[in-house]
Amino acid sequence: MEYKRSSALFIEAQQYIPGGVNSPVRAFKAVGGHPIFVKSAKGAYLYDEDGNRLIDYINSWGPMILGHAYEPVVEAVIEKAKSGTSFGMPTEIETEIAKLAIEMVPGIDKIRFVNSGTEACMSAIRLARGFTSRNKIIKFAGCYHGHSDSFLIQAGSGASTFGMPNSPGVTVGTAQDTLLATYNNEASVRELFAANPHEIAALIVEPVAGNMGCIPPAAGFLQFLRDICSENNTLLIFDEVMTGFRLAKGGVQELYGITADICCFGKVIGGGLPVGAFAARREIMDFLAPVGPVYQAGTLSGNPLAMIAGLTMLRAINSDAELFKRLEEKCAYLENGLRVAFSETAIPFTINRVGSMISIHFAKESVVDFATAKLGDNEWFKKFFHGMLQEGVYIAPSAYESWFLTDALTYEDLDFTIRAAKKVAAEM
Ligand SMILES: *Cc1c(COP(=O)(O)O)cnc(C)c1O
């Protein structure tokens, strides 16, 4: 396949937009080469500016769980736009989507809508800090909670328990309020609680990690987090921006039977428009302005286009009793095919999967945290990525990203993908 026009567009874009992209992972820096410019998409397929058709395993990083240009969402957005796109005033549809989300997700009484997952997580920790009158938070290395300052933190050197900024522009003062633990490692969490008694407002976690590839929580890990947070009067925040409405109607809380204190949403909840949300039980949510003292706001928050897209998407998910079963079966089928493809070669690999999230790591050892995810061989990954692209299959342009399956995929698409993987693996 040729990607000439995409390359030309990328070269032009770089003159006017930093790196040619409005979000860094799109730039293909981890895999080399030029990114693909999309012209349109429908169902499971992307159509690029060179006229290529690609089977899409990213689906806008998750939202298009029912496929691209899903007709009910598209029609609802068009219809809504005719009566105005933003008012900065309340509309009935905000209550409708709030009611439905609260019905679908366990343990939440109220929800506030924002414009991105970043905003949701940033606001959730502010709320947690306000509610508990404490400053520190715990996050896990390799978990991503958007690009706000408190989360752009890496492990400090030596034995220090507090983090260091991992981007210029994040102050050391901010970084010192974020403590870093190791995913799936109970001892690392216990140590942080022991070293910072009565100081930890919240522990935030991707309850199934998806930003270091897909990493499932070890047996008992989420229950352990629930218990240690309760014992320490620390709020447990599940960042379900990726997993919410994707792994189950009620997300990881439903799937693993653990209730968090605050949940963050994004991606699927907006049906492909910019939406995020955070939710909790009444007592916590009523700490937010205008009821309570914690300030949080947004000019375009809850705008009618975003809300109708989200509401239409959630209704479709809520009314389809077989959706998550189908996604599970499709992804299990793909997993099995990929295993066979790589088992026939000498390439070391590990595949992780939960529901419709899957990732392949070119490492022998199991991938259970950020350190083990980093053991994956990026040269193998690059070859696999570009090989698949040549075959017309688009996977995430980074070894640290999960694939997100859409229900629009047919078994023919999956077989095509598996055949492509076999061919690419044999050539690697
Ligand atoms: C994508 C993501 C975010 C950030 O959401 P944006 O809409 O990109 O700001 C936060 N948390 C998790 C787990 C995510 O996957």
PDB file of all heavy atoms in Angstrom, residues 295-321:
ATOM      1  N   TYR A 295     -14.420  24.057  43.372  1.00  0.00           N
ATOM      2  CA  TYR A 295     -14.778  24.696  42.111  1.00  0.00           C
ATOM      3  C   TYR A 295     -14.430  23.823  40.910  1.00  0.00           C
ATOM      4  O   TYR A 295     -13.365  23.213  40.862  1.00  0.00           O
ATOM      5  CB  TYR A 295     -14.087  26.055  41.980  1.00  0.00           C
ATOM      6  CG  TYR A 295     -14.682  26.831  40.821  1.00  0.00           C
ATOM      7  CD1 TYR A 295     -15.985  27.301  40.906  1.00  0.00           C
ATOM      8  CD2 TYR A 295     -13.975  27.035  39.644  1.00  0.00           C
ATOM      9  CE1 TYR A 295     -16.566  27.969  39.833  1.00  0.00           C
ATOM     10  CE2 TYR A 295     -14.544  27.699  38.571  1.00  0.00           C
ATOM     11  CZ  TYR A 295     -15.841  28.165  38.675  1.00  0.00           C
ATOM     12  OH  TYR A 295     -16.414  28.814  37.616  1.00  0.00           O
ATOM     13  N   GLN A 296     -15.314  23.820  39.963  1.00  0.00           N
ATOM     14  CA  GLN A 296     -15.111  23.078  38.707  1.00  0.00           C
ATOM     15  C   GLN A 296     -16.151  23.604  37.729  1.00  0.00           C
ATOM     16  O   GLN A 296     -17.297  23.827  38.127  1.00  0.00           O
ATOM     17  CB  GLN A 296     -15.296  21.575  38.950  1.00  0.00           C
ATOM     18  CG  GLN A 296     -14.940  20.671  37.777  1.00  0.00           C
ATOM     19  CD  GLN A 296     -16.058  20.586  36.757  1.00  0.00           C
ATOM     20  OE1 GLN A 296     -17.223  20.623  37.100  1.00  0.00           O
ATOM     21  NE2 GLN A 296     -15.679  20.485  35.495  1.00  0.00           N
ATOM     22  N   ALA A 297     -15.752  23.859  36.475  1.00  0.00           N
ATOM     23  CA  ALA A 297     -16.663  24.508  35.539  1.00  0.00           C
ATOM     24  C   ALA A 297     -16.284  24.194  34.096  1.00  0.00           C
ATOM     25  O   ALA A 297     -15.243  23.589  33.844  1.00  0.00           O
ATOM     26  CB  ALA A 297     -16.609  26.026  35.754  1.00  0.00           C
ATOM     27  N   GLY A 298     -17.112  24.622  33.138  1.00  0.00           N
ATOM     28  CA  GLY A 298     -16.780  24.421  31.719  1.00  0.00           C
ATOM     29  C   GLY A 298     -17.792  25.081  30.794  1.00  0.00           C
ATOM     30  O   GLY A 298     -18.983  24.762  30.854  1.00  0.00           O
ATOM     31  N   THR A 299     -17.322  25.998  29.960  1.00  0.00           N
ATOM     32  CA  THR A 299     -18.209  26.709  29.032  1.00  0.00           C
ATOM     33  C   THR A 299     -18.978  25.755  28.126  1.00  0.00           C
ATOM     34  O   THR A 299     -20.171  25.910  27.915  1.00  0.00           O
ATOM     35  CB  THR A 299     -17.374  27.669  28.156  1.00  0.00           C
ATOM     36  OG1 THR A 299     -16.715  28.592  29.030  1.00  0.00           O
ATOM     37  CG2 THR A 299     -18.245  28.430  27.165  1.00  0.00           C
ATOM     38  N   LEU A 300     -18.261  24.753  27.588  1.00  0.00           N
ATOM     39  CA  LEU A 300     -18.909  23.838  26.645  1.00  0.00           C
ATOM     40  C   LEU A 300     -19.341  22.520  27.299  1.00  0.00           C
ATOM     41  O   LEU A 300     -19.833  21.621  26.633  1.00  0.00           O
ATOM     42  CB  LEU A 300     -17.981  23.573  25.469  1.00  0.00           C
ATOM     43  CG  LEU A 300     -17.842  24.767  24.512  1.00  0.00           C
ATOM     44  CD1 LEU A 300     -16.718  24.541  23.525  1.00  0.00           C
ATOM     45  CD2 LEU A 300     -19.143  25.022  23.754  1.00  0.00           C
ATOM     46  N   SER A 301     -19.141  22.405  28.625  1.00  0.00           N
ATOM     47  CA  SER A 301     -19.513  21.162  29.304  1.00  0.00           C
ATOM     48  C   SER A 301     -20.997  20.885  29.129  1.00  0.00           C
ATOM     49  O   SER A 301     -21.829  21.770  29.310  1.00  0.00           O
ATOM     50  CB  SER A 301     -19.200  21.260  30.797  1.00  0.00           C
ATOM     51  OG  SER A 301     -17.815  21.315  30.996  1.00  0.00           O
ATOM     52  N   GLY A 302     -21.322  19.654  28.778  1.00  0.00           N
ATOM     53  CA  GLY A 302     -22.719  19.260  28.631  1.00  0.00           C
ATOM     54  C   GLY A 302     -23.392  19.864  27.416  1.00  0.00           C
ATOM     55  O   GLY A 302     -24.619  19.911  27.347  1.00  0.00           O
ATOM     56  N   ASN A 303     -22.591  20.295  26.424  1.00  0.00           N
ATOM     57  CA  ASN A 303     -23.224  20.918  25.245  1.00  0.00           C
ATOM     58  C   ASN A 303     -24.074  19.891  24.495  1.00  0.00           C
ATOM     59  O   ASN A 303     -23.817  18.690  24.532  1.00  0.00           O
ATOM     60  CB  ASN A 303     -22.183  21.595  24.353  1.00  0.00           C
ATOM     61  CG  ASN A 303     -21.453  20.609  23.475  1.00  0.00           C
ATOM     62  OD1 ASN A 303     -21.945  20.194  22.440  1.00  0.00           O
ATOM     63  ND2 ASN A 303     -20.281  20.197  23.929  1.00  0.00           N
ATOM     64  N   PRO A 304     -25.114  20.351  23.834  1.00  0.00           N
ATOM     65  CA  PRO A 304     -26.102  19.414  23.284  1.00  0.00           C
ATOM     66  C   PRO A 304     -25.566  18.417  22.261  1.00  0.00           C
ATOM     67  O   PRO A 304     -26.030  17.286  22.227  1.00  0.00           O
ATOM     68  CB  PRO A 304     -27.155  20.331  22.639  1.00  0.00           C
ATOM     69  CG  PRO A 304     -26.682  21.718  22.776  1.00  0.00           C
ATOM     70  CD  PRO A 304     -25.520  21.753  23.693  1.00  0.00           C
ATOM     71  N   LEU A 305     -24.574  18.799  21.465  1.00  0.00           N
ATOM     72  CA  LEU A 305     -24.065  17.833  20.490  1.00  0.00           C
ATOM     73  C   LEU A 305     -23.360  16.682  21.184  1.00  0.00           C
ATOM     74  O   LEU A 305     -23.568  15.507  20.870  1.00  0.00           O
ATOM     75  CB  LEU A 305     -23.084  18.503  19.518  1.00  0.00           C
ATOM     76  CG  LEU A 305     -23.656  19.501  18.542  1.00  0.00           C
ATOM     77  CD1 LEU A 305     -22.626  19.809  17.461  1.00  0.00           C
ATOM     78  CD2 LEU A 305     -24.935  18.981  17.922  1.00  0.00           C
ATOM     79  N   ALA A 306     -22.504  17.027  22.148  1.00  0.00           N
ATOM     80  CA  ALA A 306     -21.787  15.997  22.894  1.00  0.00           C
ATOM     81  C   ALA A 306     -22.765  15.112  23.661  1.00  0.00           C
ATOM     82  O   ALA A 306     -22.628  13.884  23.692  1.00  0.00           O
ATOM     83  CB  ALA A 306     -20.794  16.655  23.851  1.00  0.00           C
ATOM     84  N   MET A 307     -23.775  15.740  24.269  1.00  0.00           N
ATOM     85  CA  MET A 307     -24.698  14.974  25.092  1.00  0.00           C
ATOM     86  C   MET A 307     -25.579  14.046  24.267  1.00  0.00           C
ATOM     87  O   MET A 307     -25.851  12.918  24.664  1.00  0.00           O
ATOM     88  CB  MET A 307     -25.568  15.930  25.931  1.00  0.00           C
ATOM     89  CG  MET A 307     -24.791  16.735  26.981  1.00  0.00           C
ATOM     90  SD  MET A 307     -24.042  15.738  28.308  1.00  0.00           S
ATOM     91  CE  MET A 307     -22.400  15.458  27.666  1.00  0.00           C
ATOM     92  N   ILE A 308     -26.000  14.489  23.088  1.00  0.00           N
ATOM     93  CA  ILE A 308     -26.864  13.607  22.283  1.00  0.00           C
ATOM     94  C   ILE A 308     -26.040  12.450  21.715  1.00  0.00           C
ATOM     95  O   ILE A 308     -26.525  11.316  21.616  1.00  0.00           O
ATOM     96  CB  ILE A 308     -27.611  14.365  21.154  1.00  0.00           C
ATOM     97  CG1 ILE A 308     -28.778  13.506  20.621  1.00  0.00           C
ATOM     98  CG2 ILE A 308     -26.724  14.732  19.998  1.00  0.00           C
ATOM     99  CD1 ILE A 308     -29.906  13.307  21.560  1.00  0.00           C
ATOM    100  N   ALA A 309     -24.769  12.726  21.380  1.00  0.00           N
ATOM    101  CA  ALA A 309     -23.912  11.634  20.893  1.00  0.00           C
ATOM    102  C   ALA A 309     -23.715  10.612  22.007  1.00  0.00           C
ATOM    103  O   ALA A 309     -23.862   9.402  21.801  1.00  0.00           O
ATOM    104  CB  ALA A 309     -22.568  12.184  20.424  1.00  0.00           C
ATOM    105  N   GLY A 310     -23.401  11.098  23.205  1.00  0.00           N
ATOM    106  CA  GLY A 310     -23.181  10.202  24.339  1.00  0.00           C
ATOM    107  C   GLY A 310     -24.444   9.443  24.717  1.00  0.00           C
ATOM    108  O   GLY A 310     -24.414   8.235  24.941  1.00  0.00           O
ATOM    109  N   LEU A 311     -25.550  10.158  24.770  1.00  0.00           N
ATOM    110  CA  LEU A 311     -26.808   9.521  25.164  1.00  0.00           C
ATOM    111  C   LEU A 311     -27.207   8.437  24.157  1.00  0.00           C
ATOM    112  O   LEU A 311     -27.608   7.332  24.543  1.00  0.00           O
ATOM    113  CB  LEU A 311     -27.917  10.584  25.262  1.00  0.00           C
ATOM    114  CG  LEU A 311     -29.308  10.062  25.625  1.00  0.00           C
ATOM    115  CD1 LEU A 311     -29.307   9.378  26.989  1.00  0.00           C
ATOM    116  CD2 LEU A 311     -30.331  11.200  25.609  1.00  0.00           C
ATOM    117  N   THR A 312     -27.059   8.724  22.876  1.00  0.00           N
ATOM    118  CA  THR A 312     -27.429   7.750  21.852  1.00  0.00           C
ATOM    119  C   THR A 312     -26.529   6.511  21.965  1.00  0.00           C
ATOM    120  O   THR A 312     -26.988   5.371  21.852  1.00  0.00           O
ATOM    121  CB  THR A 312     -27.319   8.383  20.449  1.00  0.00           C
ATOM    122  OG1 THR A 312     -28.057   9.606  20.452  1.00  0.00           O
ATOM    123  CG2 THR A 312     -27.867   7.466  19.384  1.00  0.00           C
ATOM    124  N   MET A 313     -25.250   6.754  22.216  1.00  0.00           N
ATOM    125  CA  MET A 313     -24.306   5.644  22.376  1.00  0.00           C
ATOM    126  C   MET A 313     -24.650   4.800  23.607  1.00  0.00           C
ATOM    127  O   MET A 313     -24.737   3.569  23.531  1.00  0.00           O
ATOM    128  CB  MET A 313     -22.884   6.219  22.502  1.00  0.00           C
ATOM    129  CG  MET A 313     -21.804   5.197  22.702  1.00  0.00           C
ATOM    130  SD  MET A 313     -21.726   4.070  21.306  1.00  0.00           S
ATOM    131  CE  MET A 313     -20.545   4.892  20.298  1.00  0.00           C
ATOM    132  N   LEU A 314     -24.874   5.449  24.735  1.00  0.00           N
ATOM    133  CA  LEU A 314     -25.180   4.684  25.955  1.00  0.00           C
ATOM    134  C   LEU A 314     -26.490   3.918  25.811  1.00  0.00           C
ATOM    135  O   LEU A 314     -26.608   2.785  26.279  1.00  0.00           O
ATOM    136  CB  LEU A 314     -25.237   5.603  27.187  1.00  0.00           C
ATOM    137  CG  LEU A 314     -23.939   6.303  27.603  1.00  0.00           C
ATOM    138  CD1 LEU A 314     -24.064   6.852  29.020  1.00  0.00           C
ATOM    139  CD2 LEU A 314     -22.719   5.407  27.508  1.00  0.00           C
ATOM    140  N   ARG A 315     -27.477   4.531  25.147  1.00  0.00           N
ATOM    141  CA  ARG A 315     -28.748   3.814  24.940  1.00  0.00           C
ATOM    142  C   ARG A 315     -28.525   2.568  24.112  1.00  0.00           C
ATOM    143  O   ARG A 315     -29.082   1.508  24.392  1.00  0.00           O
ATOM    144  CB  ARG A 315     -29.748   4.720  24.215  1.00  0.00           C
ATOM    145  CG  ARG A 315     -30.469   5.650  25.160  1.00  0.00           C
ATOM    146  CD  ARG A 315     -31.551   6.425  24.407  1.00  0.00           C
ATOM    147  NE  ARG A 315     -32.239   7.335  25.301  1.00  0.00           N
ATOM    148  CZ  ARG A 315     -32.758   8.507  24.946  1.00  0.00           C
ATOM    149  NH1 ARG A 315     -32.668   8.905  23.681  1.00  0.00           N
ATOM    150  NH2 ARG A 315     -33.371   9.262  25.824  1.00  0.00           N
ATOM    151  N   ALA A 316     -27.697   2.694  23.063  1.00  0.00           N
ATOM    152  CA  ALA A 316     -27.435   1.538  22.195  1.00  0.00           C
ATOM    153  C   ALA A 316     -26.749   0.432  22.997  1.00  0.00           C
ATOM    154  O   ALA A 316     -27.092  -0.747  22.880  1.00  0.00           O
ATOM    155  CB  ALA A 316     -26.570   1.955  21.009  1.00  0.00           C
ATOM    156  N   ILE A 317     -25.793   0.809  23.828  1.00  0.00           N
ATOM    157  CA  ILE A 317     -25.071  -0.184  24.627  1.00  0.00           C
ATOM    158  C   ILE A 317     -26.008  -0.821  25.660  1.00  0.00           C
ATOM    159  O   ILE A 317     -26.012  -2.034  25.862  1.00  0.00           O
ATOM    160  CB  ILE A 317     -23.856   0.481  25.322  1.00  0.00           C
ATOM    161  CG1 ILE A 317     -22.813   0.873  24.265  1.00  0.00           C
ATOM    162  CG2 ILE A 317     -23.251  -0.428  26.376  1.00  0.00           C
ATOM    163  CD1 ILE A 317     -21.674   1.735  24.809  1.00  0.00           C
ATOM    164  N   ASN A 318     -26.829   0.018  26.277  1.00  0.00           N
ATOM    165  CA  ASN A 318     -27.699  -0.458  27.354  1.00  0.00           C
ATOM    166  C   ASN A 318     -28.786  -1.393  26.850  1.00  0.00           C
ATOM    167  O   ASN A 318     -29.246  -2.272  27.573  1.00  0.00           O
ATOM    168  CB  ASN A 318     -28.335   0.752  28.056  1.00  0.00           C
ATOM    169  CG  ASN A 318     -28.926   0.384  29.393  1.00  0.00           C
ATOM    170  OD1 ASN A 318     -28.334  -0.420  30.129  1.00  0.00           O
ATOM    171  ND2 ASN A 318     -30.075   0.932  29.717  1.00  0.00           N
ATOM    172  N   SER A 319     -29.175  -1.213  25.592  1.00  0.00           N
ATOM    173  CA  SER A 319     -30.300  -2.008  25.097  1.00  0.00           C
ATOM    174  C   SER A 319     -29.843  -3.262  24.356  1.00  0.00           C
ATOM    175  O   SER A 319     -30.659  -4.009  23.840  1.00  0.00           O
ATOM    176  CB  SER A 319     -31.173  -1.148  24.179  1.00  0.00           C
ATOM    177  OG  SER A 319     -30.393  -0.766  23.060  1.00  0.00           O
ATOM    178  N   ASP A 320     -28.542  -3.495  24.304  1.00  0.00           N
ATOM    179  CA  ASP A 320     -28.024  -4.647  23.564  1.00  0.00           C
ATOM    180  C   ASP A 320     -27.436  -5.652  24.555  1.00  0.00           C
ATOM    181  O   ASP A 320     -26.286  -5.560  24.953  1.00  0.00           O
ATOM    182  CB  ASP A 320     -26.949  -4.158  22.575  1.00  0.00           C
ATOM    183  CG  ASP A 320     -26.434  -5.261  21.684  1.00  0.00           C
ATOM    184  OD1 ASP A 320     -26.667  -6.447  21.993  1.00  0.00           O
ATOM    185  OD2 ASP A 320     -25.792  -4.928  20.667  1.00  0.00           O
ATOM    186  N   ALA A 321     -28.252  -6.625  24.934  1.00  0.00           N
ATOM    187  CA  ALA A 321     -27.858  -7.559  25.993  1.00  0.00           C
ATOM    188  C   ALA A 321     -26.665  -8.427  25.582  1.00  0.00           C
ATOM    189  O   ALA A 321     -25.980  -8.986  26.437  1.00  0.00           O
ATOM    190  CB  ALA A 321     -29.044  -8.439  26.375  1.00  0.00           C
TER     191      ALA A 321
END
